[in-house]
Amino acid sequence: MKEAINANIGQQVFTLDRDAYDRLTIYLNDVRRRITSDTEEVMNDIEIRIAEILREALPSTMMVVTLAMVERAIARIGTPDDFGAENQSGTKNSSGMGQKLLRRSRTDRSIAGVCGGLADYFGIDSTILRIVMLCLIIFGGMSLWVYIIMWLLIPEE
């Protein structure tokens, strides 16, 4: 037996099983992170389209939306990657204010992504930061252990 959850998708109420609800929530959050402008309007349009696809798949309004139905809807709409690259410049907190997060870079990395992440966080060129870090390590201003600790403590994006 699975837990069923009532959810409002595109101004329509659906009953989803727990797996379908979790998958749809993850998908919509991933898409939201990739949209750069008019986020709420675009997300509303996506939810309306998902609701249309789910209504087509349900023979009766009394039926429960399953994980397979959600996967088919996502396949028709597109993967989150189709909406663009993930917006790493910051996320919105609950008050709606932009908030930058310090993360090790996956794309701008030479060793562990620490310098790439710091450069992105402070808005500077990563090459300059790498040169400064190397000079600090070589000339004793910063220990190699500090870099290793940052590597371990700063989460990867």
Side-chain angles (χ1 to χ4, degrees):
M1 182 175 1
K2 287 188 179 180
E3 179 182 8
I5 299 168
N6 289 326
N8 184 340
I9 305 170
Q11 291 86 37
Q12 295 184 44
V13 177
F14 291 90
T15 302
L16 295 93
D17 69 27
R18 171 54 82 180
D19 296 337
Y21 177 83
D22 291 342
R23 176 66 176 107
L24 189 57
T25 301
I26 291 168
Y27 174 76
L28 290 173
N29 288 337
D30 200 8
V31 169
R32 180 175 276 113
R33 284 192 304 268
R34 295 168 188 272
I35 296 172
T36 56
S37 63
D38 298 326
T39 305
E40 292 309 313
E41 182 179 345
V42 173
M43 290 306 299
N44 190 38
D45 290 344
I46 292 170
E47 284 189 27
I48 290 171
R49 182 63 183 133
I50 290 171
E52 291 171 356
I53 293 170
L54 293 177
R55 279 289 168 225
E56 291 172 5
L58 288 173
S60 167
T61 57
M62 298 301 292
M63 296 200 58
V64 176
V65 175
T66 64
L67 179 59
M69 291 176 183
V70 169
E71 290 293 346
R72 283 194 296 272
I74 290 171
R76 285 179 64 181
I77 293 172
T79 65
D81 293 333
D82 295 338
F83 292 92
E86 191 166 345
N87 184 4
Q88 295 295 334
S89 63
T91 59
K92 291 192 175 189
N93 59 20
S94 59
S95 64
M97 301 296 292
Q99 175 185 357
K100 282 191 168 189
L101 298 175
L102 178 58
R103 303 273 189 230
R104 288 186 294 123
S105 178
R106 284 184 161 179
T107 55
D108 187 13
R109 68 185 330 167
S110 292
I111 298 174
V114 172
C115 290
L118 287 170
D120 184 49
Y121 184 79
F122 291 114
I124 59 176
D125 184 33
S126 61
T127 306
I128 293 171
L129 187 63
R130 283 188 182 97
I131 292 170
V132 169
M133 288 281 268
L134 183 63
C135 289
L136 286 173
I137 290 171
I138 290 173
F139 298 116
M142 183 177 98
S143 169
L144 185 59
W145 288 107
V146 173
Y147 185 87
I148 293 170
I149 291 169
M150 287 191 293
W151 182 356
L152 295 172
L153 292 180
I154 300 173
E156 192 172 50
E157 58 183 23

